[in-house]
């Protein structure tokens, strides 16, 4: 599918966004191992979170989904049934990596794989700790999906993750639910803590501190009535679009503002964006609020060290912002971008160049000079949702229409993106 995006003067009005992808995955997985029925409102409409539901169904869990409300009939930590066929995680790294933690503790063998992009993503990062806990796991070429997981009784471990990855941390904590004793994970940089927050909500014993989290097993999780905050990483596209277009005034309602995700807001503010938090509250341990952003003069900035992990999903759209800012954008310590849904250093650079923007790449980052102009042209999503949406935002500031090939990729996290963009752009 090709979407043609016309230049715009502004983004304006008020929008609500579908539920957060990260939180939706976690609520669904934890609900499946709780003892009873959990209701989840504002569940992410994205294909990734529906891949999680499909995998849970494959494991014999009853899942009712009506619009954005999902009811999951949890059957306790050991209530999964051996799936008759390979589970399909689709495009979703979160599904395969986090669910593997729960599969490692089941007394049966499971195969889990996904699409072409997922089949190229590294899995040693979860295989290593799960093997240490006692699971047997095989992978294609020793490291890629599909995985064959032979689960069984697990031992608790103390594990230091070599990469800053919330998916790896979560995988180990989920496996820790089934191990007898305390499982501890330490991480080299702070990553999103939705698993720790959700585990607490479901009644698990969790402790956290700077750079570590631990969980006590075996845990008994209680079913809950939950609502998912709007997805800040989806909001990022509209926040950047509004900040880039001088006449913008946009309000985004009901959006998740967890401090481990909200580095985006601080970064935009430090880059000169006129961004305000109008209201903030708490729901199920997750901060949720209203954001207002207006057209701004943008300075640009540097993303490196711990900030890189905190902004990892937002870097494609921040690279777009960099090109029209005064000083441009420098990204360092971001080798992880090369193993996302696409190699996002290359796919961002390729599309920037197609729109006439100069960019330099490095093994672990990129540099986009400021004060550039996007030219009319054609870009590709390369099958990556965040690349499709980042370049729709670039198109708003271009000197003519931009065609986005493979625009359907956006539905992995944000199927409503194109219609919402049309509602707020003029
Ligand atoms: C996610 C963590 C991040 C992020 C992904 C979702 C999560 O991946 O890129 O979109 O929900 O935990 P890593 O933890 O592997 O960096």
């Amino acid at each position: 599918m090709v979407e043609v995006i016309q230049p715009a003067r502004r983004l304006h009005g008020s929008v609500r966004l579908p539920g957060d992808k990260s939180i939706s995955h976690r609520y669904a997985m934890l609900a499946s191992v709780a003892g009873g029925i959990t209701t989840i409102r504002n569940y992410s409409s994205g294909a990734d979170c529906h891949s999680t539901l499909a995998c849970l169904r494959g494991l014999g869990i009853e899942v009712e989904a009506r619009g954005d409300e999902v009811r999951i009939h949890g059957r306790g930590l050991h209530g999964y049934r051996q799936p008759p066929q390979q589970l399909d995680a689709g495009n979703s790294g979160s599904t395969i990596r986090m669910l593997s933690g729960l599969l490692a503790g089941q007394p049966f063998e499971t195969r889990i794989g996904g699409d072409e992009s997922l089949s190229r993503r590294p899995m040693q990062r979860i295989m290593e700790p799960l093997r240490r806990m006692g699971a047997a796991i095989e992978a294609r070429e020793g490291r890629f999906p599909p995985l064959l997981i032979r689960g069984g009784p697990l031992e608790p471990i103390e594990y230091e993750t070599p990469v800053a990855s919330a998916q790896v941390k979560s995988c180990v904590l989920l496996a820790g639910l089934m191990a007898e004793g305390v499982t501890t994970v330490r991480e080299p940089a702070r990553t999103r803590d939705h698993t720790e927050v959700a585990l607490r909500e479901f009644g698990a014993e969790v402790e956290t501190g700077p750079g570590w989290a631990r969980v006590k097993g075996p845990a008994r999780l209680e079913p809950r009535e939950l609502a998912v905050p709007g997805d800040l990483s989806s909001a990022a596209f509209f926040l950047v679009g509004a900040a880039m277009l001088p006449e913008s005034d946009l309000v985004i309602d009901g959006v998740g503002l967890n401090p481990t995700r909200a580095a985006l807001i601080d970064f935009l503010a430090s880059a000169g964006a006129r961004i305000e938090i109008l209201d903030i509250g708490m729901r199920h341990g997750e901060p949720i609020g209203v954001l207002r952003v207006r057209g701004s003069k943008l300075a640009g900035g540097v993303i490196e060290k711990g900030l890189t992990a905190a902004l990892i999903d937002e870097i494609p759209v921040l690279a777009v912002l960099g090109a029209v800012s005064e000083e441009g954008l420098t990204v360092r310590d971001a080798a992880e971008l090369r193993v996302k849904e696409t190699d996002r250093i290359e796919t961002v650079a390729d599309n920037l160049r197609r729109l006439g923007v100069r960019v330099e790449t490095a093994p672990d980052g990129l540099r986009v000079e400021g004060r550039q102009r996007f030219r009319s042209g054609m870009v590709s999503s390369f099958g990556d949702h965040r690349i499709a949406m980042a370049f729709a935002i670039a198109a708003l500031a271009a000197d003519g229409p931009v065609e986005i090939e493979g625009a359907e990729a956006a539905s992995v996290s944000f199927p409503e993106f194109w219609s919402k963009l049309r509602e707020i752009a003029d």
Side-chain angles (χ1 to χ4, degrees), residues 81-101:
R81 298 199 189 100
Q82 182 168 21
Q85 58 210 26
Q86 178 167 313
L87 299 178
D88 183 5
N91 191 241
S92 177
S94 303
T95 305
I96 193 168
R97 294 203 181 110
M98 296 199 293
L99 193 57
S100 292

Side-chain angles (χ1 to χ4, degrees), residues 21-22 26 94 97-98 125 164-168 170 192 312-313 336 340-341 386:
K21 174 163 92 70
S22 292
R26 285 156 173 84
S94 303
R97 294 203 181 110
M98 296 199 293
R125 51 182 67 194
S165 162
Q167 293 177 353
V168 176
S170 302
R192 61 194 72 190
I312 197 74
D313 288 343
E336 274 295 295
K340 292 293 180 189
E341 287 82 333
R386 298 204 198 278

Side-chain angles (χ1 to χ4, degrees), residues 94-116:
S94 303
T95 305
I96 193 168
R97 294 203 181 110
M98 296 199 293
L99 193 57
S100 292
L102 292 174
L103 296 174
Q106 307 301 324
F108 52 74
E109 220 178 79
T110 314
R111 279 177 197 277
I112 182 165
D115 70 6
E116 213 186 290

Side-chain angles (χ1 to χ4, degrees), residues 150-296:
R150 278 191 207 98
L154 299 178
E155 295 289 327
I157 53 168
E158 269 215 47
Y159 189 66
E160 193 154 335
T161 62
V163 279
S165 162
Q167 293 177 353
V168 176
K169 171 178 65 176
S170 302
C171 170
V172 177
L173 292 175
L174 293 180
L177 288 175
M178 289 168 291
E180 185 110 20
V182 175
T183 294
T184 305
V185 188
R186 291 177 210 287
E187 48 185 3
R190 196 171 180 214
T191 65
R192 61 194 72 190
D193 68 356
H194 304 299
T195 301
E196 296 89 307
V197 172
L199 278 169
R200 239 178 236 128
E201 276 303 298
F202 278 89
E205 274 182 62
V206 184
E207 275 182 76
T208 52
W212 60 268
R214 60 173 59 121
V215 69
K216 191 162 170 222
R220 258 179 69 98
L221 304 186
E222 298 297 330
R224 296 295 321 266
E225 297 246 321
L226 300 164
V228 182
D231 195 321
L232 183 58
S233 298
S234 297
F237 301 103
F238 296 156
L239 294 173
V240 169
M244 275 172 25
L245 302 172
E247 293 172 49
S248 294
D249 190 352
L250 182 71
V251 171
I252 305 183
D253 200 1
V255 67
L257 295 174
N258 180 308
T260 61
R261 298 280 293 285
L264 171 67
I265 301 186
D266 297 334
F267 181 81
L268 287 174
S270 73
R274 289 194 293 163
I275 185 163
E276 298 162 78
I277 300 178
L278 297 183
D279 188 20
I280 191 158
M282 270 315 238
R283 201 160 64 191
H284 318 310
E286 290 283 351
I288 178 163
V290 181
L291 295 176
R292 179 182 184 195
V293 59
R294 282 175 284 176
S296 317

Side-chain angles (χ1 to χ4, degrees), residues 25 28-29 43-59 63 87-96 99 112-115 118 411-412:
H25 284 301
M29 289 183 201
Y43 190 80
S44 165
S45 49
D48 270 9
C49 293
H50 285 266
S51 294
T52 287
L53 297 183
C55 289
L56 296 178
R57 286 192 181 106
L59 289 160
V63 177
L87 299 178
D88 183 5
N91 191 241
S92 177
S94 303
T95 305
I96 193 168
L99 193 57
I112 182 165
D115 70 6
L118 191 68
S411 55
V412 157

